[in-house]
Amino acid sequence: MSNLAGSIELYIRRLLDASPNAAICLQRRELAEHFACVPSQINYVLSTRFTLERGYLVESRRGGGGYLRIRRLDLNRDKVLQLLEMRQSLAGQNLSLQKATDFVHRLVEARLVTRREGLLMKAVISFEQQKRDDVLEIFRGVMLSRMIEVLLHET
Amino acid sequence: MSNLAGSIELYIRRLLDASPNAAICLQRRELAEHFACVPSQINYVLSTRFTLERGYLVESRRGGGGYLRIRRLDLNRDKVLQLLEMRQSLAGQNLSLQKATDFVHRLVEARLVTRREGLLMKAVISFEQQKRDDVLEIFRGVMLSRMIEVLLHET
DNA sequence: CCCTCTTTGACCTTCGCTGACCATATCACT
DNA sequence: AGTGATATGGTCAGCGAAGGTCAAAGAGGG
């Protein structure tokens, strides 16, 4: 990780791994000092890396004795039910690319789908704006092609 | 190689040869500086020389700490070859549902994808004619939803 | 001369990082 | 209890540093 945000993310993940209940509590100011950066950098990391879509929960408190509490949510129980719920929450929604990708990422993290399967899914959802109108006509081929491309990435 | 693109291609290939795992990570700007050319020249080289068809894989990231990651696939491995061929065979084609499904079936039979993965793929390709124009807008959510449904049937 | 491949530069998008300014909790003193 | 000081954390706009895209100009070979 050559950039700060990456280092901080790694650091926090390490802490979470080391924690018995996948939950840690720390201070923004301290963390910022540790990495010699402005405190708001911590917020940047939290809001880009430790989102709900990725399966994290962040609580905080201001003022004297303030803190950040970061928890990694456990998806392993009642997988089917949770999948169903997720599916409900997705149905008909107009997902942003970012959210969709994070979601797949989370599925993989939770081991609900394999890495390959996650990649397949991302291949399908991460198409960019296609201006052409006839896109749908050739869509099948394009999507298949993309999915195979994903498998190639696997080697 | 008297032209720039050729030199850059050679340079990158040398780096790949020297790399133990046939993968390198570099910066577009740096490389461009090294060859005293505009950065976009690098993109030209990558998009004409290091394509999937030629057995290369290029990933990248923007912003501070951005990079280009170039990998050479091991073309001797049967699976990669098969995948490449199969992918080639449907380039630009306008597949019927039947053909597309058969195709996935072959992938599974050839053990190139697991049964689960095959199901994922079928879920994506087997949508019926959608005449609506706004389909693309909700497409992401719908597709994700369908793929999760498949996984549910699996569990 | 024409066609294809190269090269370039203008303009765009994404990501990381910072600092000014805001909100809220605790504490100390009256 | 009230109130101001102190100590946290939160938000947001903006800058700078990558890489991406595209169209037009240039170069070379038939």
Side-chain angles (χ1 to χ4, degrees):
Chain A
M1 280 301 170
S2 68
N3 50 7
L4 227 192
S7 304
I8 299 177
E9 176 189 5
L10 208 59
Y11 180 77
I12 294 178
R13 287 230 295 256
R14 287 268 161 74
L15 289 181
L16 282 170
D17 289 339
S19 162
N21 48 351
I24 58 171
C25 195
L26 38 73
Q27 294 209 292
R28 187 180 78 150
R29 184 189 47 78
E30 255 185 24
L31 194 52
E33 263 165 23
H34 183 264
F35 282 96
C37 64
V38 292
S40 58
Q41 176 71 359
I42 306 303
N43 294 87
Y44 174 71
V45 173
L46 291 180
S47 64
T48 54
R49 273 50 170 198
F50 296 89
T51 64
L52 205 50
E53 281 79 12
R54 293 193 181 190
Y56 294 94
L57 209 61
V58 178
E59 300 161 292
S60 69
R61 184 176 179 145
R62 309 185 189 198
Y67 59 83
L68 297 175
R69 175 174 304 154
I70 307 169
R71 275 192 294 162
R72 176 155 46 203
L73 302 178
D74 184 15
L75 266 188
N76 288 326
R77 282 179 322 159
D78 291 329
K79 292 184 180 179
V80 176
L81 270 181
Q82 291 182 53
L83 275 173
L84 268 174
E85 272 169 32
M86 286 187 192
R87 184 176 167 275
Q88 290 297 353
S89 74
L90 287 177
Q93 264 197 49
N94 203 331
L95 282 186
S96 76
L97 175 55
Q98 184 62 58
K99 281 191 177 177
T101 304
D102 283 350
F103 178 78
V104 172
H105 197 252
R106 187 181 179 193
L107 287 177
V108 176
E109 290 276 290
R111 317 225 174 211
L112 291 174
V113 304
T114 67
R115 209 166 84 63
R116 274 166 62 104
E117 289 158 359
L119 288 172
L120 276 178
M121 298 173 84
K122 283 184 195 169
V124 173
I125 60 178
S126 65
F127 60 92
E128 288 303 315
Q129 309 269 34
Q130 311 274 21
K131 290 137 199 150
R132 311 287 306 283
D133 214 19
D134 52 298
V135 161
L136 277 182
E137 293 170 18
I138 55 170
F139 198 65
R140 219 168 261 148
V142 171
M143 286 295 109
L144 251 185
S145 188
R146 297 182 62 132
M147 299 183 98
I148 289 178
E149 205 163 322
V150 163
L151 292 180
L152 279 173
H153 281 240
E154 280 300 287
T155 301
Chain B
M1 280 300 169
S2 65
N3 54 4
L4 228 193
S7 305
I8 299 177
E9 176 189 6
L10 208 59
Y11 180 77
I12 294 178
R13 286 227 297 256
R14 288 269 160 74
L15 288 183
L16 282 171
D17 288 339
S19 162
N21 49 352
I24 57 172
C25 195
L26 38 73
Q27 294 209 291
R28 188 182 77 151
R29 184 188 46 79
E30 257 185 22
L31 194 52
E33 263 165 24
H34 184 264
F35 282 95
C37 64
V38 291
S40 57
Q41 176 73 356
I42 306 302
N43 294 85
Y44 175 70
V45 173
L46 292 179
S47 63
T48 55
R49 274 43 173 206
F50 295 88
T51 64
L52 209 47
E53 283 73 17
R54 296 194 181 190
Y56 294 94
L57 216 63
V58 179
E59 300 161 292
S60 70
R61 185 181 181 113
R62 308 187 189 196
Y67 59 81
L68 297 175
R69 176 174 304 153
I70 307 170
R71 277 192 291 163
R72 174 159 48 206
L73 302 176
D74 183 2
L75 280 185
N76 290 326
R77 292 175 61 174
D78 292 348
K79 294 199 172 182
V80 176
L81 268 183
Q82 282 185 63
L83 280 171
L84 270 175
E85 274 167 27
M86 295 189 86
R87 176 168 171 278
Q88 199 64 267
S89 77
L90 51 82
Q93 271 197 46
N94 205 330
L95 289 181
S96 72
L97 175 54
Q98 186 58 56
K99 282 189 178 179
T101 306
D102 286 348
F103 182 85
V104 172
H105 202 249
R106 273 200 293 144
L107 282 176
V108 178
E109 290 284 289
R111 313 242 170 200
L112 289 172
V113 303
T114 66
R115 200 161 123 332
R116 272 167 63 105
E117 289 158 359
L119 288 173
L120 272 180
M121 299 174 84
K122 283 185 195 167
V124 172
I125 59 177
S126 64
F127 58 93
E128 289 303 315
Q129 309 270 32
Q130 308 274 19
K131 296 278 160 45
R132 307 289 307 281
D133 212 20
D134 53 301
V135 162
L136 277 181
E137 292 171 17
I138 54 171
F139 195 65
R140 220 169 259 147
V142 172
M143 287 294 109
L144 249 185
S145 192
R146 297 179 63 135
M147 300 184 97
I148 289 176
E149 199 164 328
V150 165
L151 291 179
L152 275 174
H153 286 241
E154 273 305 281
T155 307

